[in-house]
């Protein structure tokens, strides 16, 4: 799973530069050697990976839940070219896990290179259960 930090361009206005220097975008690129995932595959894979994270997320609690948001940049053919973290969950490991999976998504709808879509990945942990959800906020 490839990840990169995006910085602001030099062409940014002087006033915006202060905000630019204090923030960065975390994005995830698809792994060319890994299989592409449709949304149902994403939920299945994320739930399976979440099982290993739930004990840590639960700690001494009876449940843990959260959400993470991504903007997807699509290529023609419905494949995700990049997944940009827009709303962190507060847990870097969950953000990285869901981001890596989001970068592997592929949609069956026709898309043009550069089209964008918004998705939210959710998670819920209980002592004997781990469930991941994927909501398409804007359809590709």
């Amino acid at each position: 799973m490839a990840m990169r930090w995006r910085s602001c361009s030099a062409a940014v206005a002087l006033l915006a530069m202060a905000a630019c220097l204090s923030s960065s975008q975390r994005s995830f690129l698809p792994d060319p050697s890994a299989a592409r995932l449709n949304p149902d595959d994403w939920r299945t894979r994320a739930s399976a990976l979440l099982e290993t994270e739930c004990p840590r997320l639960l700690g001494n609690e009876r449940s843990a839940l959260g959400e993470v948001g991504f903007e997807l940049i699509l290529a023609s053919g419905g494949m995700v070219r990049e997944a940009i973290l827009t709303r962190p969950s507060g847990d870097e490991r969950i953000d990285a896990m869901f981001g890596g999976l989001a970068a592997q998504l592929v949609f069956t709808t026709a898309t043009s290179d550069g089209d964008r879509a918004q998705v939210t990945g959710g998670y819920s942990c209980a002592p004997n259960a781990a469930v991941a959800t994927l909501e398409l906020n804007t359809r590709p």
Side-chain angles (χ1 to χ4, degrees):
M1 142 181 43
M3 176 178 57
R4 71 172 184 236
W5 294 90
R6 178 180 289 175
S7 60
C8 297
S9 78
V12 176
L14 187 56
L15 291 175
M17 197 150 331
C20 189
L21 293 173
S22 65
S23 67
S24 58
Q25 274 187 330
R26 192 171 176 192
S27 64
F28 302 85
L29 303 174
D31 178 350
S33 66
R36 289 294 182 154
L37 305 170
N38 67 41
D40 288 335
D41 293 336
W42 187 97
R43 290 178 191 95
T44 300
R45 181 83 52 89
S47 292
L49 291 171
L50 187 60
E51 285 181 20
T52 64
E53 294 295 324
C54 279
R56 179 183 64 80
L57 293 167
L58 285 168
N60 294 325
E61 301 297 322
R62 296 185 54 77
S63 65
L65 54 96
E67 289 184 341
V68 58
F70 295 95
E71 178 176 31
L72 306 178
I73 301 175
L74 305 168
S76 57
M79 291 188 295
V80 171
R81 213 173 57 200
E82 182 177 8
I84 302 167
L85 181 65
T86 57
R87 193 174 70 241
S89 68
D91 186 284
E92 286 191 26
R93 284 167 57 176
I94 293 296
D95 294 348
M97 181 177 73
F98 281 20
L101 292 173
Q104 295 305 124
L105 280 166
V106 63
F107 300 96
T108 57
T109 55
T111 59
S112 297
D113 195 42
D115 283 355
R116 294 175 182 253
Q118 305 289 322
V119 297
T120 300
Y123 68 89
S124 178
C125 295
N128 295 314
V131 176
T133 60
L134 182 68
E135 178 181 339
L136 302 176
N137 302 327
T138 58
R139 295 202 173 267

